[in-house]
Amino acid sequence: MQENKEKLAKIKIKALEEHIPIIMDDTLEEIEKRIEKNKPTKILEIGTAVGYSAICFSAFLTENGTIDTIERDKTRAAEAEENIKAMKLENRINIIVGDAVEILPTLNKKYDMIFIDAAKGKYPFFLKESLRMLEPKGIIFADNILYKGYVMSDYNKHKQRTAVRNLREYIKEVTENEKLETEILESGDGLAVTYWKK
Ligand code: SAH
Ligand code: MG
């Protein structure tokens, strides 16, 4: 256990050094708070990077729980695979290498928790696919939803314009859809928390 903690700390330091945008501590806390009572058995993650968040989430799973996580960058996916093996989590975390835009429509499982943390321009599509696979008691977390404050400001210049427009569209959909309940948190780079209205 202690050994795994050290390994995880090393994965985190290396990722930060390489400027890989891994989940922030306060975001992780907010997620844990919301799922500790209703532990997930099936988690879907969009955007594995080197496996850091998936490894963290594995501690939240039920005893037989598993995580499917999608990554399109082959080098990162290979590093994630190594990290997951080193933590002896290969039976719990399944990496799917490919573009989530192509992979998601091929999935037909149900998930208790979905973590969206990949291309911001694709968030509305990721949402549509996530809702299709979300269990009645499931919960969707979308990271970076406020994108350095751009999303809530009148910022619309620059090369991030498409990302900002799509993040705004995501927020509009989850807040205006009458079947959904959503909280927008300021932790990290912004976290949207969405579940079915009771
Ligand atoms: N969830 C990770 C960090 C993910 S960073 C953690 O917190 O530890 C975002 C990752 O999403 C990057 O590695 C990037 O390659 C991947 N990504 C971006 N767009 C994608 C897409 N369309 N399909 C699959 N992966 C994508
Ligand atoms: Mg993120």
Side-chain angles (χ1 to χ4, degrees), residues 21-23 115-117 123 143-144 189:
I22 56 170
I23 192 167
F115 183 58
I116 300 176
D117 192 22
Y123 269 38
D143 195 21
N144 308 96
D189 196 21

Side-chain angles (χ1 to χ4, degrees), residues 123-141:
Y123 269 38
F125 178 77
F126 295 159
L127 175 66
K128 194 178 104 210
E129 288 297 304
S130 296
L131 289 172
R132 181 176 63 77
M133 294 187 278
L134 189 66
E135 285 282 12
K137 284 193 174 167
I139 185 161
I140 300 175
F141 298 98

Side-chain angles (χ1 to χ4, degrees), residues 1 49 67 78 172:
M1 214 46 201
I67 302 177
K172 188 167 156 46

